[in-house]
Amino acid sequence: MISRCGLMQKKDGMGMEEFKDYWLNVHGPIASKMANLRKYDQHVVVDAEHRHAIGRGSVVIDGYSELQFDSYGDMVEGVESLHGEGANDVPMFANPHCQILVLAKREVIRIPEYLRGRKLIKRVSFLGRADGVTSEQFVKEWWNVHDRLVQTVPGCVGYNQDLVIDRIDGGVSVPYEELPVEGVVEMWFETKEAFDEYYASPEFARASAHSSEFIGAINTYLTETYPVALPSA
């Protein structure tokens, strides 16, 4: 399963509620008509506080879309199936310069069944590589060391490490240097108390110290997720 994530910034002069209303109720139903689309979520930013010792990167958003497909080819067919319709109304509510991250999703901690369908606190982080760290080194540290450290931290009930496999800007693939995001972290917490426990724990401090060895920039947001009904659903 791969995800096509659009990094959304609201239109200049538009309020957050107006942006959210148009995105969810007008744009969402249009994009949901894509061929091959398996799942579609819209994630609205509710908190942009920076909670990490590592400095911020270049990803500044008010929300991000997530459209899931079985394969990259299915994604390309899906986008083409709208014949531009999905992009035409973006200037009505958002910055038309919408960069895209294509992700290979990796589930590390599966959300327990008893929590599925409940409103959880979601944290998403966009990660850039530290200076001198290659893509291969980043993945080795992130997927083979850091994931184990994070699993020791109390409070987290779900954890994904999503690797960027393509970056799209202006409709074409661009190199890492033009959109410096190597991975996307998704984390879920049952309560605000659990979220605070996570950040205050010595286990988080240990994981955070390790992350500075391979992560050079991070943008972190709390989001609310709005699933979009698909026409065939």
Side-chain angles (χ1 to χ4, degrees):
M1 187 72 72
I2 67 167
S3 287
R4 177 185 173 91
C5 293
L7 307 179
M8 311 295 296
Q9 294 177 329
K10 61 185 177 64
K11 181 179 178 180
D12 287 345
M14 177 175 278
M16 194 64 185
E17 285 305 311
E18 187 181 1
F19 162 78
K20 176 180 169 183
D21 180 65
Y22 194 102
W23 186 28
L24 268 57
N25 298 312
V26 180
H27 181 78
I30 295 173
S32 73
K33 299 174 185 177
M34 278 190 190
N36 306 325
L37 186 59
R38 294 296 188 182
K39 193 172 187 292
Y40 179 18
D41 290 318
Q42 294 169 311
H43 305 279
V44 178
V45 169
V46 296
D47 184 329
E49 181 180 346
H50 193 67
R51 295 179 172 89
H52 210 287
I54 297 173
R56 287 185 173 94
S58 61
V59 178
V60 178
I61 59 171
D62 295 300
Y64 72 100
S65 58
E66 183 180 17
L67 298 94
Q68 296 188 29
F69 301 86
D70 288 335
S71 69
Y72 193 99
D74 281 355
M75 180 195 76
V76 173
E77 288 182 1
V79 174
E80 292 176 347
S81 72
L82 291 183
H83 304 289
E85 186 182 3
N88 290 340
D89 77 325
V90 170
M92 299 295 294
F93 71 102
N95 183 343
H97 182 213
C98 178
Q99 297 173 310
I100 305 292
L101 297 173
V102 183
L103 311 175
K105 298 185 72 70
R106 179 176 186 248
E107 186 178 66
V108 179
I109 300 176
R110 181 175 175 81
I111 297 174
E113 289 299 327
Y114 76 91
L115 291 178
R116 291 185 175 271
R118 288 180 51 180
K119 185 176 181 180
L120 302 174
I121 295 173
K122 181 177 182 180
R123 190 201 82 172
V124 61
S125 300
F126 300 88
L127 313 178
R129 303 194 308 257
D131 290 343
V133 173
T134 66
S135 294
E136 293 76 15
Q137 291 169 332
F138 180 94
V139 174
K140 181 178 179 181
E141 291 295 325
W142 194 33
W143 280 10
N144 298 304
V145 181
H146 195 69
D147 60 345
R148 291 165 173 78
L149 291 175
V150 170
Q151 289 179 73
T152 69
V153 185
C156 177
V157 296
Y159 175 41
N160 288 354
Q161 293 177 318
D162 303 332
L163 183 67
V164 177
I165 60 173
D166 198 5
R167 303 162 184 87
I168 300 173
D169 194 348
V172 299
S173 294
V174 298
Y176 171 84
E177 290 72 21
E178 293 187 28
L179 183 48
V181 182
E182 195 70 54
V184 177
V185 173
E186 298 174 281
M187 283 186 163
W188 291 266
F189 303 85
E190 189 172 1
T191 63
K192 182 60 165 57
E193 290 74 20
F195 177 81
D196 292 338
E197 177 188 14
Y198 177 88
Y199 274 95
S201 69
E203 291 87 355
F204 171 76
R206 184 171 65 240
S208 181
H210 172 253
S211 67
S212 65
E213 297 177 12
F214 65 99
I215 298 172
I218 182 169
N219 293 89
T220 298
Y221 300 93
L222 299 186
T223 64
E224 288 183 349
T225 299
Y226 296 86
V228 180
L230 304 186
S232 60

